[in-house]
Amino acid sequence: MKYDVVIVGAGPAGTVTARFAAESGAKVLIIERRQEIGVPVLCGEGVSRKIDEWGMLEGKRWIACNMEGARIFSPDGTMVKLSAEMAGNETGYVVYRDIFDQELARQAAKAGAKIVMNTNAIDLLREKDKIIGVKAKQYDDEIEIEADIVVGTDGVESKIGQWAGIDTRLDPKDLETCCQYTLTNIDCKEAYCDFYLGNKIAPGGYIWVFPKGKDVANVGIGVLGNLSEAGMPKKLLDQFIANNPRLKNGNPIRFLAGAVPVANPVETVKDNIILVGDSARQVDPITGGGLTHCLEAGKIAGETIGMAIEQQQFDKETLSSYETGWKEAFGKKLKRNYMVKEIFLDFDDKTLNMLADSLKDIKFDEISTFALVKALVLKHPTLLMKLRPLMKISSEA
Ligand SMILES: Cc1cc2nc3c(=O)[nH]c(=O)nc-3n(C[C@H](O)[C@H](O)[C@H](O)COP(=O)(O)OP(=O)(O)OC[C@H]3O[C@@H](n4cnc5c(N)ncnc54)[C@H](O)[C@@H]3O)c2cc1C
């Protein structure tokens, strides 16, 4: 088999890259080890409405709920309300992630990409030191797929980067260990994505409640790897649900466990290699949201591949216009949010309560950063010292 590009993994990063590469004239193959795209779902399914601007998804079948905004609860229950526009990567729509992924795959196929399922990449194919494709296991057969460019969109457990010599190791402090129930028989009439913070509630992470209908929601937890131990996320989530009047009578219709990289991104290009999405660690280190970045980076990767095919140049220098492109689009934000995450980790529950108390009555859409800081400090002057590193980051941004 010989293609211009072989893409390993048919998640959103893979199918969006495939679509734009195929639209730019490349001969594209996507291989996917699962039997069905998007299944099982491993996601809270919250996504920013920013995706509307890119017009990559047709119709509305992938939308479960339209969100008005987000509510953040501090450990003592103080609530801060944000509009969907202010709330970042995971608030806007709650989606059906299986349909979402399948719709992106449909667009890739429509553009001319070929998709094969049940095909697991097991190594890179090399000629001397040069990467010339991928070895894969398809059912019981071992196959070789030749390609000028190999794209690693193989998610958080990515092997493509590692095989290509990129350091993709994740420190436990840069990995959220997560689990989630989809609960039914609960009250979800208000269209808000809820986030619950606290060092006892979810050490180094948060609990989320993302409505998928009037009486059904994804209720999940992320705990930072270095603060977690075996079984801890589920135990904390069960405890939270049992003590929450709104959730305690819920019945699970789905349970999942997974991990989210909340690290700094890795090197994303090498000769004949590109990494996109979770494999490249293009995830917001504060919220753990990765979907918008998959779409944004996938488009840039696909267009770069088109350009490389036209020039018949597949070296790191040619492919680096992808790295420059995604860094221009959201690289600064990832870097800043990684620093913010590190600062937030030092906040104890008392500080989180003071912060929420200072912010609870603020109309964020109408207030300047200066007025915001003034309001914070007037209410709880001791916050000033703790917030100084955050203010430094926001003034540099
Ligand atoms: C519990 C949880 C909740 C989350 N909630 C949200 C949320 O609410 N909002 C949000 O924006 N993000 C969320 N995320 C993150 C989001 O799911 C990821 O950022 C996103 O799925 C990354 O897409 P991807 O295409 O890079 O990887 P994936 O979606 O993981 O796709 C990778 C694909 O590669 C395939 N694959 C892997 N290895 C191979 C191989 N060797 N050969 C062939 N195929 C292979 C896999 O089967 C998979 O289909 C959450 C993640 C978790 C775990």
Side-chain angles (χ1 to χ4, degrees), residues 4 16 21 29 65 95 103 179 185 204 223 238 312 340 359 393 397:
D4 292 329
V16 172
L29 176 72
C65 263
V95 302
E103 169 59 17
C179 66
N185 195 34
V223 178
D238 286 342
Q312 285 295 295
V340 172
L359 299 177
I393 291 170

Side-chain angles (χ1 to χ4, degrees), residues 14-301:
T15 49
V16 172
T17 303
R19 170 190 174 165
F20 286 94
E23 281 180 1
S24 316
K27 190 176 171 208
V28 182
L29 176 72
I30 312 177
I31 62 170
E32 169 56 53
R33 69 179 174 193
R34 294 178 177 182
Q35 297 179 35
E36 186 176 352
I37 287 178
V39 179
V41 169
L42 289 175
C43 191
E45 305 182 294
V47 67
S48 153
R49 270 204 278 275
K50 214 172 151 189
I51 59 169
D52 288 342
E53 292 165 26
W54 305 324
M56 293 184 201
L57 290 127
E58 273 177 23
K60 300 238 177 275
R61 268 186 349 110
W62 47 276
I63 301 172
C65 263
N66 234 314
M67 291 294 113
E68 276 177 41
R71 299 183 295 203
I72 301 167
F73 295 87
S74 72
D76 68 2
T78 307
M79 181 181 78
V80 178
K81 223 181 207 184
L82 297 172
S83 66
E85 289 65 34
M86 296 284 302
N89 283 306
E90 288 177 301
T91 309
Y93 298 118
V94 178
V95 302
Y96 297 109
R97 193 47 213 277
D98 45 354
I99 302 176
F100 182 91
D101 283 18
Q102 286 163 18
E103 169 59 17
L104 291 174
R106 194 178 70 80
Q107 298 290 344
K110 197 166 128 193
K114 183 172 158 64
I115 305 170
V116 291
M117 307 295 296
N118 280 307
T119 305
N120 184 19
I122 52 171
D123 205 350
L124 291 171
L125 200 59
R126 291 176 195 267
E127 200 173 67
K128 294 189 181 146
D129 282 344
K130 190 173 172 231
I131 292 162
I132 57 156
V134 162
K135 276 188 204 164
K137 193 117 195 241
Q138 196 171 51
Y139 300 96
D140 289 333
D141 298 328
E142 217 170 281
I143 56 168
E144 294 190 347
I145 305 153
E146 281 182 43
D148 294 315
I149 301 172
V150 176
V151 183
T153 49
D154 46 344
V156 61
E157 295 169 38
S158 176
K159 287 281 184 288
I160 294 294
Q162 186 191 325
W163 292 332
I166 296 171
D167 186 3
T168 55
R169 282 172 299 175
L170 280 164
D171 198 304
K173 75 171 181 52
D174 288 335
L175 189 72
E176 291 284 342
T177 52
C178 306
C179 66
Q180 175 183 278
Y181 292 102
T182 300
L183 289 184
T184 187
N185 195 34
I186 57 173
D187 174 12
C188 283
K189 283 184 202 78
E190 291 182 296
Y192 280 87
C193 284
D194 290 340
F195 298 82
Y196 295 84
L197 308 181
N199 290 297
K200 290 195 194 75
I201 292 173
Y206 59 85
I207 283 180
W208 65 86
V209 180
F210 291 176
K212 285 192 83 176
K214 284 191 176 59
D215 60 358
V216 56
N218 290 333
V219 183
I221 186 170
V223 178
L224 211 56
N226 60 329
L227 305 174
S228 187
E229 53 192 57
M232 185 179 173
K234 181 172 178 300
K235 212 161 117 191
L236 289 174
L237 184 60
D238 286 342
Q239 210 170 296
F240 179 84
I241 291 169
N243 293 323
N244 187 299
R246 182 180 153 211
L247 304 175
K248 68 179 183 192
N249 294 323
N251 273 301
I253 51 172
R254 184 170 72 183
F255 179 77
L256 63 87
V260 182
V262 284
N264 275 313
V266 294
E267 193 185 356
T268 55
V269 288
K270 273 201 162 252
D271 290 348
N272 309 89
I273 288 279
I274 289 182
L275 299 185
V276 190
D278 277 17
S279 68
R281 318 305 183 214
Q282 288 164 333
V283 175
D284 185 325
I286 299 179
T287 66
L291 289 172
T292 51
H293 300 142
C294 287
L295 270 54
E296 229 173 338
K299 180 172 189 285
I300 300 166

